[in-house]
Amino acid sequence: MIPRFLKKRFSRSSSAKTSDNSAASEAHHQNTQEANKNIDVYDDNDKLANTSYSKTPISQIYRKLSGKALGITVKPKLLGELPKLANDEQTLTFYVLQDYSRSNSILIDLQTQEHQLPPALVGVKDLAHDLDENAAIIFLNHPKATDDQLSPRLARLVAATLQHPDLNIRLVPVSILWGRAPEKEDSLFKLLMTDNWEDPSITKQLFNIGVMGRDTFVQFHTPQNLRTIVYNHLNDDLEGADDSKPSHQQQAPSDPILLSSSEIGSLVTSSSTTNANTALVPIADANRELLRNLQYQLDLYLDKQRASMLGPDLSDRRNLVDKLIYSPAIKHAIEKEASDTGVSEHEARDVARGYANEMVNNYSYSIIRVFERFLTWLWTQLYDGVEVHHFERVRELATDHEIIYVPCHRSHVDYLLLSYVIYKRGLSIPYVAAGDNLDVPVLGPLLRGAVAFYIRRSFRGNALYTAVLREYMHTLISRSTPIEYFIEGGRSRSGRLLPPKMGMLAMTVHSQLRKTNKPVVFIPTYIGYERIMEGGTYIGELKGKPKESESVVGLLKATKKIERIFGNVHLSFGTPLHLSDFMQKFEVAADSLPKDRTDTPLDKKTNAMVDNIGVKIMQHINKAAVVNPISLLSLVLLSAPKAALDEVICREQIALYQGIARYLPYADDTVVTDMNPQDIIDYGIKLKLIERIPHILGDIIQVAGKQAALLSYFRNNILHVFILLSFLAALVARNGRIERSRLDNIVSQLYPFLQGELFLYYSAQSLQAVLNQKIDNLIEHGLIVELEDGVLSAPETNSSRYQQLQVLATPVEQSLERYFMTLALLAQQGSGNLTESEVVDLCHLLGQRLSVLYADDIPDFFDRSLFTSFVNALIRLDYVQKDEETGVLSFDQRINNIAHHAKYILTPDMMQILQQVASLDEKEITHAITEISNKKQRKFGRKR
């Protein structure tokens, strides 16, 4: 920061300025030049950087030949987006690099030519503002400079900016990486080749060009206005100077705080026109401190950008394990383990070391490069493309925050896909918490060397393992290592989000409360596929088949699918969630846990905060959903009778869904495909998910054989976007006419259950306004007719809009059928007779039976988590009370009030079927519970 004596110097009144403006201006210019002589700057007499290419033909030839020579060996990859530079001839553009390098100069010049940016190695001449620079590159550091020497070009540009109020200079910081290894490699050859945290020597630069030229990355960062930077520094320091004064010396509120350009210039450079009483510091000191501050800030900015791309400077794996085991927190855990179990501390330490070796990542840049090339080929073979949305919001946070990626979990491909996208866009890839079921021969070590650190699927009751994992997480977070974990705990088999698992989330919060380094921010990430490798396996597992263990054989089987086309993949980065905001909301103090302990429990407020963060993450993942062509097509066709529609009607229904989703978006982050309806149909046929049946009266589009269950997966990815619209459509369609007040009451009663199932983000307080907006949306599209006296009506029964309303009303029915069946089971068995787990198990069993008999084998009724969600909601809303010791559920007649609402949507026939399915006598209940218990024990035995 600028010293206090300089702050006082800047805060002086401008009364000392001379009345002769022209004389002052001339003195101003002379003193600026004199001041620059007194600033200790390094000499920029390098031949390349000191040649005016706009004037010298020989240098122009040198520039072209050098560029061509470098262009042959170096093929840089552009990271991020190009800066948007306004086409303004009055604005001068300079590129800011950290360290001097001839190869970097030429490389930036080539990149500016290729991307049609203002040239880097062309002289910048502006005589009106006393500027005549030989190149448009600013090097912040030079190998021959001492610590006190500053950039001469930056010094001249700052002086010119202060002298000329109309001068606009744009600085574009640039990062150049010759390779992207984050750690210090043991190999001398790798040390020479790869860009890490060492400054490049000449020898290393030669190796970089010759060996790493094809692995070079360039990123142009956000342009910054030099005048704005200077003003911000001066303004901040003026405010600091004012704050430091005694109260009786404070400037009056009416006095200006900001100085004009000419005032700043006069204060900084015109020492000869200022009397002795106001000239508190020599001009050289003023310029030097301002310039030093600006250069430091630019250097720090590029350091942070580099860190976000390379990741932290890491030690090797063996040293990291040793640091973990001998940390104060693990020493305490080892002592406690030895005391509790009766083993020696040496034996307990060996056990802890074994745990650490199980989990610690073995990051290798060589493996990363192999994966990059392999995955680039693989995505080309599997997918038509990878579409990424809202990534820039991550880039903006990466330099100053600890990034925690929390994506939904659809497939094993998620691990690689998300890391690949992050890496290709110029940020350091995260360490991924992976289940130890993936630590199989061949694949396991490769993933550990790339992105994974392995954790056991279950370690409840193992205090020492928990301590090691918490300390490892704390180490990663303390080192600002980006982390990724799947908050659902496992892959969703139904396409819906699973209830969040709070373990890793609680460890993240625990680490932040032990020691604050960078503020933690969670990045909810939506991943959507159009076909999925594990689709057939998922359906089988939902229907009761045992889960297949990961193995090399399974990996080889998966390679058979590489020739298939899986459409596009969609990644959407949701609105970031800052941990500090939640801490403020729940009044959780920072640094409130001991730094050297891992076993300090979280208090009640903090646990409530963790639960709230988990739900908000799921809601933000859904808000970032991508309504892709296949999910939209699935929603339409699976809502039609026999999953088939006339092609014209199918097009119209798709267009309708696109229209209502765009008219009132589910959330600002939600993306709706812009592919036209006919192309969507053709695309589904191309992926062999649907088929066209030619017919003389018009072609029919139907779900392809045995694909209905798989399409339900993709429908469920976006069901939350349309569920309230479907609910409203069902109430109107099934009743013909309904009073708006009754509709509001029914939706308000059942909304909490839909919210818990689909992680809808509308609060109870805002629900009424949301319903009004959605009703207006349906009215606007002709699906609902508003009559007098607050009555809503369906369109004419023989109209196309009525048929569209019927299709839209279908998706919500299956959710309500599950609710009614569960309530029917509770009512028939009576209060106090079943435990929570028994209700969920029985509903799961009944759902399987119902799906096979009546629901066309759609696997939604097989999803145990949906019944768990509903029962949890009943308990949370106090419709059902759970005994904490026995788990037995008790309830009163209010559950019948909930079931009563089902008659407004479900047909009498369906309600009768559900009641029959849920009718079980005591003998059937006992037999079912026994069989389920035996099955669980066999499954648990296999896991052990």
Side-chain angles (χ1 to χ4, degrees):
M1 299 297 290
I2 299 175
R4 184 174 299 174
F5 65 82
L6 189 57
K7 299 174 185 176
K8 295 179 181 178
R9 176 68 180 84
F10 287 147
S11 62
R12 284 288 187 177
S13 169
S14 60
S15 60
K17 293 196 300 178
T18 179
S19 61
D20 187 349
N21 292 334
S22 61
S25 176
E26 182 178 354
H28 191 124
H29 174 54
Q30 292 175 353
N31 286 308
T32 298
Q33 293 177 332
E34 184 66 26
N36 285 339
K37 292 179 181 178
N38 294 326
I39 296 178
D40 191 12
V41 297
Y42 60 75
D43 187 14
D44 57 349
N45 60 357
D46 177 73
K47 178 181 178 181
L48 181 63
N50 198 40
T51 305
S52 180
Y53 294 98
S54 58
K55 295 181 179 180
T56 312
I58 295 178
S59 295
Q60 287 280 27
I61 296 172
Y62 176 76
R63 173 195 177 203
K64 291 181 180 179
L65 292 177
S66 300
K68 288 183 178 180
L70 194 69
I72 294 173
T73 56
V74 178
K75 300 295 180 184
K77 303 176 183 68
L78 185 68
L79 299 177
E81 298 181 357
L82 286 171
K84 297 178 180 178
L85 305 181
N87 189 14
D88 181 6
E89 296 181 356
Q90 303 302 317
T91 301
L92 306 180
T93 300
F94 287 83
Y95 302 94
V96 182
L97 279 73
Q98 272 193 299
D99 301 304
Y100 169 80
S101 164
R102 293 194 182 194
S103 57
N104 284 350
S105 301
I106 298 171
L107 182 59
I108 289 300
D109 189 50
L110 291 174
Q111 288 291 290
T112 56
Q113 293 178 58
E114 178 180 347
H115 301 296
Q116 299 180 342
L117 298 173
L121 287 183
V122 171
V124 179
K125 191 170 186 178
D126 185 354
L127 297 181
H129 298 111
D130 305 312
L131 283 177
D132 188 4
E133 297 296 329
N134 304 310
I137 300 178
I138 299 171
F139 293 110
L140 299 178
N141 304 293
H142 193 283
K144 297 180 181 179
T146 64
D147 291 340
D148 293 332
Q149 290 179 316
L150 303 173
S151 168
R153 180 160 290 141
L154 182 61
R156 293 192 293 268
L157 296 180
V158 169
T161 298
L162 293 170
Q163 180 183 352
H164 301 285
D166 60 332
L167 175 61
N168 286 318
I169 296 177
R170 177 169 51 208
L171 303 182
V172 181
V174 184
S175 296
I176 300 177
L177 302 178
W178 301 84
R180 288 174 61 186
E183 82 275 43
K184 294 179 181 178
E185 297 281 359
D186 295 332
S187 165
L188 176 62
F189 184 64
K190 291 180 181 178
L191 182 62
L192 288 171
M193 288 197 304
T194 306
D195 213 349
N196 52 29
W197 285 101
E198 300 287 336
D199 290 334
S201 63
I202 295 177
T203 305
K204 184 176 178 180
Q205 280 292 310
L206 292 175
F207 268 97
N208 285 341
I209 294 172
V211 181
M212 302 298 291
R214 306 277 170 167
D215 196 31
T216 301
F217 303 86
V218 176
Q219 183 169 1
F220 293 88
H221 303 294
T222 304
Q224 304 180 32
N225 184 280
L226 179 57
R227 184 174 301 279
T228 301
I229 300 174
V230 172
Y231 280 12
N232 287 342
H233 281 294
L234 294 179
N235 189 43
D236 289 345
D237 292 324
L238 282 172
E239 291 177 353
D242 287 342
D243 293 339
S244 65
K245 293 180 183 179
S247 59
H248 65 277
Q249 294 181 354
Q250 287 287 345
Q251 184 173 314
S254 59
D255 290 345
I257 295 177
L258 286 173
L259 300 178
S260 67
S261 303
S262 59
E263 288 173 331
I264 294 173
S266 298
L267 289 171
V268 175
T269 59
S270 57
S271 60
S272 63
T273 62
T274 310
N275 62 47
N277 293 328
T278 58
L280 301 183
V281 294
I283 180 58
D285 290 342
N287 274 343
R288 183 185 301 110
E289 293 305 324
L290 174 61
L291 180 60
R292 189 188 311 281
N293 199 7
L294 295 180
Q295 182 163 323
Y296 170 78
Q297 292 300 328
L298 288 170
D299 213 4
L300 180 63
Y301 175 84
L302 285 170
D303 261 341
K304 289 181 177 180
Q305 295 297 333
R306 193 180 188 193
S308 71
M309 292 185 280
L310 292 179
D313 187 5
L314 300 179
S315 304
D316 62 86
R317 184 172 184 270
R318 177 176 55 81
N319 288 337
L320 182 56
V321 169
D322 286 341
K323 289 178 181 178
L324 277 177
I325 299 308
Y326 289 100
S327 66
I330 299 304
K331 282 184 178 179
H332 173 81
I334 288 172
E335 292 171 0
K336 189 173 186 306
E337 178 75 7
S339 174
D340 292 346
T341 62
V343 301
S344 68
E345 289 189 13
H346 177 75
E347 291 173 318
R349 183 174 295 107
D350 286 344
V351 173
R353 184 181 298 277
Y355 292 155
N357 281 318
E358 279 184 30
M359 63 183 69
V360 172
N361 177 283
N362 192 22
Y363 198 109
S364 167
Y365 183 60
S366 300
I367 293 180
I368 291 294
R369 291 184 65 192
V370 171
F371 262 112
E372 181 202 4
R373 286 158 174 75
F374 169 71
L375 292 177
T376 299
W377 169 83
L378 181 63
W379 304 148
T380 304
Q381 297 298 310
L382 289 179
Y383 303 115
D384 293 333
V386 178
E387 297 185 7
V388 180
H389 306 275
H390 314 308
F391 185 77
E392 285 307 310
R393 59 180 34 153
V394 183
R395 192 188 308 282
E396 292 170 2
L397 293 168
T399 55
D400 297 311
H401 292 78
E402 167 62 22
I403 301 291
I404 308 292
Y405 297 93
V406 276
C408 59
H409 201 3
R410 312 286 197 203
S411 166
H412 279 319
V413 176
D414 299 343
Y415 297 98
L416 303 176
L417 181 66
L418 183 55
S419 297
Y420 178 84
V421 166
I422 293 169
Y423 182 81
K424 294 295 282 187
R425 278 158 179 76
L427 295 184
S428 174
I429 61 176
Y431 280 24
V432 183
D436 61 354
N437 57 312
L438 289 177
D439 193 10
V440 297
V442 181
L443 179 62
L446 286 175
L447 290 177
R448 188 191 294 274
V451 297
F453 66 94
Y454 292 112
I455 60 176
R456 295 181 180 182
R457 305 288 290 181
S458 177
F459 48 89
R460 179 173 296 180
N462 190 334
L464 185 56
Y465 185 93
T466 302
V468 174
L469 179 56
R470 282 183 176 176
E471 187 65 15
Y472 182 50
M473 282 284 292
H474 183 61
T475 300
L476 295 179
I477 292 172
S478 299
R479 295 185 177 193
S480 302
T481 306
I483 297 172
E484 172 191 336
Y485 48 76
F486 297 97
I487 194 169
E488 296 167 278
R491 293 167 292 158
S492 170
R493 267 62 174 177
S494 68
R496 291 177 172 86
L497 293 181
L498 300 175
K501 307 292 186 183
M502 303 303 181
M504 295 298 290
L505 187 57
M507 288 187 186
T508 304
V509 171
H510 196 281
S511 172
Q512 187 75 351
L513 296 183
R514 286 175 60 189
K515 177 185 177 183
T516 300
N517 186 10
K518 288 184 178 181
V520 167
V521 61
F522 299 98
I523 308 295
T525 307
Y526 175 90
I527 304 176
Y529 297 90
E530 294 174 350
R531 288 202 66 164
I532 195 166
M533 284 188 178
E534 302 98 325
T537 303
Y538 286 175
I539 304 304
E541 290 177 10
L542 281 174
K543 292 182 178 180
K545 289 185 179 180
K547 181 179 178 294
E548 293 183 8
S549 301
E550 281 72 16
S551 64
V552 177
V553 175
L555 181 64
L556 294 176
K557 288 181 179 179
T559 59
K560 296 180 180 179
K561 302 178 182 179
I562 289 181
E563 294 183 359
R564 300 183 188 179
I565 298 297
F566 287 80
N568 288 292
V569 188
H570 306 266
L571 268 75
S572 183
F573 295 86
T575 301
L577 295 170
H578 294 264
L579 178 56
S580 58
D581 293 341
F582 290 92
M583 292 172 62
Q584 183 176 1
K585 175 182 175 182
F586 285 85
E587 299 180 345
V588 175
D591 301 329
S592 55
L593 296 181
K595 296 181 180 180
D596 58 350
R597 295 284 292 273
T598 63
D599 57 351
T600 308
L602 301 178
D603 60 23
K604 187 175 181 180
K605 285 195 305 183
T606 308
N607 280 317
M609 180 184 73
V610 170
D611 291 340
N612 187 249
I613 295 173
V615 172
K616 291 298 182 183
I617 287 172
M618 309 310 287
Q619 291 176 352
H620 277 63
I621 290 174
N622 268 348
K623 289 168 74 173
V626 178
V627 182
N628 66 54
I630 299 304
S631 59
L632 190 58
L633 193 60
S634 302
L635 184 65
V636 168
L637 286 177
L638 293 180
S639 301
K642 297 188 177 180
L645 284 173
D646 176 88
E647 184 164 1
V648 174
I649 295 176
C650 186
R651 286 201 303 266
E652 292 174 350
Q653 195 76 23
I654 291 172
L656 171 68
Y657 281 24
Q658 288 178 306
I660 60 179
R662 290 172 182 155
Y663 181 85
L664 182 63
Y666 177 74
D668 292 338
D669 290 342
T670 306
V671 179
V672 180
T673 177
D674 56 2
M675 188 180 292
N676 69 63
Q678 185 60 59
D679 289 343
I680 290 177
I681 293 173
D682 294 339
Y683 188 57
I685 294 172
K686 172 189 172 184
L687 296 184
K688 300 180 180 180
L689 294 170
I690 63 173
E691 55 191 9
R692 179 184 284 113
I693 307 299
H695 194 276
I696 192 170
L697 297 179
D699 293 351
I700 297 172
I701 302 299
Q702 70 175 19
V703 174
K706 298 183 180 180
Q707 295 297 323
L710 181 59
L711 286 182
S712 71
Y713 183 95
F714 302 115
R715 175 202 61 191
N716 291 341
N717 289 174
I718 62 165
L719 188 58
H720 63 281
V721 176
F722 295 92
I723 195 67
L724 280 186
L725 291 165
S726 178
F727 198 176
L728 296 171
L731 285 169
V732 176
R734 301 297 181 259
N735 296 278
R737 293 185 179 187
I738 186 171
E739 293 178 357
R740 200 159 185 162
S741 59
R742 183 180 294 277
L743 180 146
D744 292 341
N745 181 53
I746 295 171
V747 175
S748 298
Q749 287 284 324
L750 296 179
Y751 173 73
F753 305 110
L754 291 172
Q755 183 184 34
E757 176 184 331
L758 296 171
F759 296 100
L760 306 178
Y761 72 93
Y762 311 117
S763 65
Q765 293 78 13
S766 66
L767 181 60
Q768 185 60 59
V770 171
L771 293 179
N772 290 335
Q773 292 175 337
K774 293 189 179 296
I775 290 172
D776 292 342
N777 191 359
L778 295 175
I779 293 173
E780 177 68 23
H781 286 85
L783 298 177
I784 290 179
V785 179
E786 188 170 23
L787 304 178
E788 296 179 354
D789 300 326
V791 175
L792 300 175
S793 171
E796 294 293 332
T797 55
N798 60 349
S799 66
S800 62
R801 290 302 187 193
Y802 181 79
Q803 299 303 320
Q804 291 177 336
L805 181 67
Q806 292 288 340
V807 174
L808 179 59
T810 302
V812 76
E813 290 181 355
Q814 288 187 353
S815 293
L816 298 180
E817 288 167 4
R818 287 193 306 275
Y819 302 164
F820 184 80
M821 185 181 71
T822 305
L823 294 171
L825 175 67
L826 286 171
Q828 291 177 11
Q829 298 304 316
S831 176
N833 291 320
L834 294 175
T835 66
E836 178 188 7
S837 61
E838 288 172 348
V839 171
V840 172
D841 289 338
L842 288 171
C843 287
H844 185 215
L845 199 63
L846 295 174
Q848 293 175 348
R849 184 175 182 83
L850 179 68
S851 181
V852 174
L853 292 176
Y854 304 105
D856 297 327
D857 210 21
I858 297 298
D860 284 39
F861 279 95
F862 290 85
D863 192 348
R864 177 188 172 86
S865 66
L866 298 180
F867 295 104
T868 302
S869 172
F870 180 61
V871 174
N872 286 339
L874 288 172
I875 296 172
R876 186 179 70 253
L877 298 170
D878 201 36
Y879 287 105
V880 172
Q881 295 77 44
K882 175 183 174 181
D883 187 285
E884 293 299 329
E885 293 184 3
T886 64
V888 172
L889 301 180
S890 58
F891 48 85
D892 53 31
Q893 291 300 313
R894 288 179 300 158
I895 65 167
N896 294 328
N897 297 334
I898 304 174
H900 177 73
H901 293 311
K903 74 176 185 178
Y904 291 98
I905 296 177
L906 302 180
T907 64
D909 290 342
M910 177 53 67
M911 294 181 67
Q912 182 66 28
I913 290 172
L914 293 172
Q915 287 179 331
Q916 289 178 353
V917 170
S919 298
L920 298 174
D921 58 31
E922 185 176 351
K923 183 177 180 181
E924 289 172 324
I925 291 282
T926 303
H927 175 70
I929 291 175
T930 301
E931 287 298 314
I932 292 171
S933 177
N934 291 338
K935 184 177 180 180
K936 287 182 178 180
Q937 289 180 358
R938 290 194 297 271
K939 182 177 180 180
F940 180 74
R942 286 197 302 268
K943 284 186 176 181
R944 290 180 65 89

